[in-house]
């Protein structure tokens, strides 16, 4: 199938597979990974802030999701900020996020190496490289989506 949407979804699934294996071994879910990943970009976010960011990935965050991570000792919940719950990492949560993000980065690096191999095989170099073209395509799609909203 050469439909771009299908190929992007398949690539996303393949890139996340190592992370999903780690999540499964830890008894965590995709939404847990999303929460930890967003907190790694800036610790101390409200449930509403987390929910807004995570919604871009098509996931819905509930207070129960955050409470589940708090029960596991990965985050703390502080209801002190404007009646919304503030979510922060614990040391264990930060370590877990670093481990998961490292797995994701390793999968990304492997995919980039694969693209570079294909580029070399096809004799492509410089501005025509597949990794750069793919990055610009994805960035353009993300920006277009953000502008249209």
């Amino acid at each position: 199938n050469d439909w771009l949407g299908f190929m992007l979804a398949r690539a996303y699934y393949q890139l996340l597979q190592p992370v999903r294996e780690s999540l499964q071994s830890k008894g965590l879910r995709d939404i847990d990974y999303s929460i930890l990943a967003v907190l790694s970009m800036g610790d101390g976010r409200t449930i509403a802030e987390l929910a807004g960011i995570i919604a871009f990935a098509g996931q819905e965050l509930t207070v129960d999701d955050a409470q589940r991570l708090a029960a596991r000792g990965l985050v703390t919940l502080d209801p002190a900020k404007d009646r919304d719950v503030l979510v922060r990492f614990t040391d264990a949560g930060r370590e877990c996020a670093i481990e998961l993000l490292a797995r994701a980065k390793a999968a990304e690096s492997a995919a980039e190496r694969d693209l570079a191999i294909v580029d070399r095989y096809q004799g492509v170099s410089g501005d025509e490289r597949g990794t750069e073209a793919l990055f610009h395509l994805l960035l353009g799609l993300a920006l277009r989506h953000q502008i249209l909203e």
Side-chain angles (χ1 to χ4, degrees), residues 70-122:
R72 304 255 335 236
L74 299 176
V75 299
T76 60
L77 305 178
D78 178 12
K81 186 178 179 186
D82 300 327
R83 293 180 289 177
D84 197 355
V85 176
L86 194 64
V87 183
R88 294 185 188 276
F89 273 131
T90 62
D91 289 341
R94 185 173 284 106
E95 287 176 24
C96 182
I98 290 169
E99 178 187 329
L100 293 169
L101 292 169
R103 292 278 305 222
K105 186 62 180 168
E108 178 183 311
S109 294
E112 287 175 349
R113 279 191 306 275
D114 292 345
L115 283 172
I117 290 168
V118 170
D119 285 345
R120 279 195 304 274
Y121 176 75
Q122 294 177 345

Side-chain angles (χ1 to χ4, degrees), residues 127 129-142:
D127 291 339
R129 286 187 38 222
T131 52
E132 291 174 18
L134 179 60
F135 174 79
H136 287 105
L137 169 68
L138 296 175
L139 180 61
L141 288 172

Side-chain angles (χ1 to χ4, degrees), residues 44-56:
R45 296 183 185 258
T46 66
I47 296 283
E49 289 170 327
L50 287 168
I53 295 168
I54 290 170
F56 281 109

